[in-house]
Every structure is written in structure tokens, then in C-alpha cells.
Amino acid sequence: MSSSDDVAYVEFVDATRSSLLAYAWLLTADGHAAEDLVQETLVRVYVRWRRLRGGQPLAYARRVLSNLHTDRWRTRRREVLREEVPEAAYTFDPMTTELVRALQQLSPRERECVVLRHYLDQSEKDTAATLGISVGSVKSYTSKGLAGLRPLLSTTTEEERYV
């Protein structure tokens, strides 16, 4: 690659890394796994940078990240039990941690749709393009995901609802 391509790529990484990391963390709920996903995504973007530079590299990066995440949960469906809880590598706001725990209760596709639509503020069309599914599927997964999140994130008790 030419030096101007390298400079443009570095600028792209600087501008988008935190957004991609936040997206990956919301999908995985694991800081290390999120960093791995972002790193692998950025490597794949770099390989295709000449073709992407003039287009929408962020959209491509989000699509790659989503596909990598999907590949990981497809191949690693087994739960790994450990005797000790690992030390937290990061400290987070309790509400954010609660949100991520609630997101983990959703199916992977529902989680991806909810995060893309409501956290990254993408349109239904952009979300469908990112995930490679139809707009109707995005609507369905998002609706089911939000319905699944409501009881998990509700802060009111049953008695408070009727008062």
C-alpha cells in the first residue's frame, strides 16, 4: 500500500476504534473477546483498504465484526464452567453492566439487531445490510429482543405498576 493509503487507514482506525469496541463489547460482554473481534476486524479491513477507502469502510467493518461474532458463537456453543470467577478486567457503570447482562439473555441475532438499531442508531435498512438479512427480519428480531429486555431491565415491582 502507498503511504497515503496507510495514513488514511490509520485515521480511519483512530476515528472508529472506540465505536467498534463498544459494539463488540455489547455483543460479547467480554472485554478481551471484544478487543479480539475488533483487532481481527481491523486486519480484514486493512487487507481490503484500497477498495474500501472510497466507499463506506465503517459499514464494512461493522459487517465484518458481526460476521466474526456470529462465527464465534456458532463454533463455541458449549458453556465453560470454572471454579473461580475471574477478576474483572474492566470496571463499568452498574447500569451498563446490567444492560450487557440483559443483552446476553437474548439470542445472538436479537442482540445484534437491538445493539445496531438502538445503541449504534442505525436504520432498519442499514442494520439489514450489515447483518445480511431482510428488513423484515431486522424488525422481527428487534421487536423480540426489546420484548425480552423489558422484563430484565424493569426497575418497578409488580405492586408499583398498578399504583
Side-chain angles (χ1 to χ4, degrees), residues 15-116:
T16 62
R17 185 166 174 23
S18 61
S19 171
L20 291 173
L21 189 57
Y23 175 44
W25 184 76
L26 285 169
L27 292 178
T28 64
D30 179 0
H32 296 294
E35 288 176 0
D36 288 345
L37 277 175
V38 171
Q39 184 66 31
E40 193 168 344
T41 298
L42 292 175
V43 167
R44 291 185 183 200
V45 168
Y46 181 77
V47 170
R48 301 213 185 277
W49 184 248
R50 281 190 180 173
R51 285 191 284 178
L52 294 173
R53 184 176 178 188
Q56 296 182 347
L58 181 57
Y60 179 81
R62 285 185 181 144
R63 174 104 188 229
V64 167
L65 195 143
S66 295
N67 289 343
L68 288 171
H69 176 256
T70 300
D71 290 347
R72 286 186 180 193
W73 65 256
R74 280 183 181 157
T75 58
R76 297 182 187 144
R77 291 187 181 187
R78 286 182 252 137
E79 184 175 343
V80 178
L81 301 176
R82 298 197 168 106
E83 289 184 32
E84 295 181 26
V85 177
E87 289 184 30
Y90 302 94
T91 57
F92 298 106
D93 174 38
M95 183 56 197
T96 304
T97 304
E98 182 181 336
L99 172 63
V100 172
R101 286 187 181 139
L103 285 169
Q104 294 305 306
Q105 302 301 313
L106 303 178
S107 75
R109 191 59 83 184
E110 289 171 356
R111 182 171 50 245
E112 288 172 339
C113 286
V114 168
V115 169
L116 285 169

Side-chain angles (χ1 to χ4, degrees), residues 5-19:
D5 285 339
D6 285 340
V7 169
Y9 177 75
V10 170
E11 289 172 357
F12 168 77
V13 170
D14 289 342
T16 62
R17 185 166 174 23
S18 61
S19 171

